[in-house]
Amino acid sequence: MAGTGLFFEDLELGQRASFAKTITEADILLFAGISGDTNPVHIDAEAASRTVFKERIAHGMLSASLISTVLGTRLPGPGTIYLSQNLRFRAPVRIGATVTATVEVTGLDPDRKRAILRTVCTVEGKPVIEGDATVMVPSRDG
């Protein structure tokens, strides 16, 4: 184990890990403050009521950040370096929804110690974000 994470040599195709979090109003307001994204659809109920969503929704990147949680703490875990990520936003996340981020190893590059992972965030089993990530994983060889 690298810290408490896996080494590249421990990874296998099909390995999966998840992290779930219920999105609160405080999460949205804190994310707006940290990111500077004060789009009214996230922070102004009256303005959001006039949108296609009819109510405030969480920042897409707030939900997407849960993927980073999985990569950095569970699979592969500590020592993992994010190299790339593509995201397709499929549905909004509303206040009070529980988002589950799941990653699955879909490819391994032994020469470069890279792992390719399918990434998905779901709410009640339905995808809200889908994508793929490439990460660099610590090796026993150093």
Side-chain angles (χ1 to χ4, degrees), residues 4-24:
T4 58
L6 298 174
F7 286 112
F8 180 84
E9 294 80 6
D10 300 323
L11 298 179
E12 297 176 7
L13 296 179
Q15 273 179 300
R16 296 169 57 116
S18 297
F19 174 80
K21 177 172 183 13
T22 300
I23 304 300
T24 67

Side-chain angles (χ1 to χ4, degrees), residues 26-37 59-63 65:
D27 294 326
I28 292 170
L29 295 176
L30 288 167
F31 193 85
I34 291 166
S35 68
D37 181 352
H59 302 76
M61 294 306 290
L62 171 56
S63 295
S65 73

Side-chain angles (χ1 to χ4, degrees), residues 43-141:
I43 61 171
D44 182 333
E46 183 179 332
S49 72
R50 295 188 299 269
T51 69
V52 66
F53 306 114
K54 304 296 183 206
E55 63 184 311
R56 290 171 50 209
I57 60 170
H59 302 76
M61 294 306 290
L62 171 56
S63 295
S65 73
L66 302 179
I67 297 166
S68 182
T69 301
V70 180
L71 296 173
T73 67
R74 304 209 172 164
L75 180 68
T80 298
I81 304 298
Y82 227 140
L83 297 175
S84 68
Q85 172 78 60
N86 67 56
L87 299 168
R88 293 174 299 283
F89 296 93
R90 301 293 190 199
V93 172
R94 300 181 192 295
I95 296 170
T98 298
V99 177
T100 301
T102 302
V103 304
E104 178 182 356
V105 178
T106 58
L108 296 168
D109 179 349
D111 293 334
R112 299 175 67 205
K113 306 299 188 246
R114 306 278 198 267
I116 296 88
L117 304 110
R118 177 177 178 264
T119 59
V120 62
C121 292
T122 59
V123 172
E124 296 180 356
K126 296 180 179 138
V128 294
I129 302 172
E130 295 175 312
D132 298 284
T134 301
V135 297
M136 184 169 48
V137 185
S139 171
R140 282 192 177 82
D141 301 339

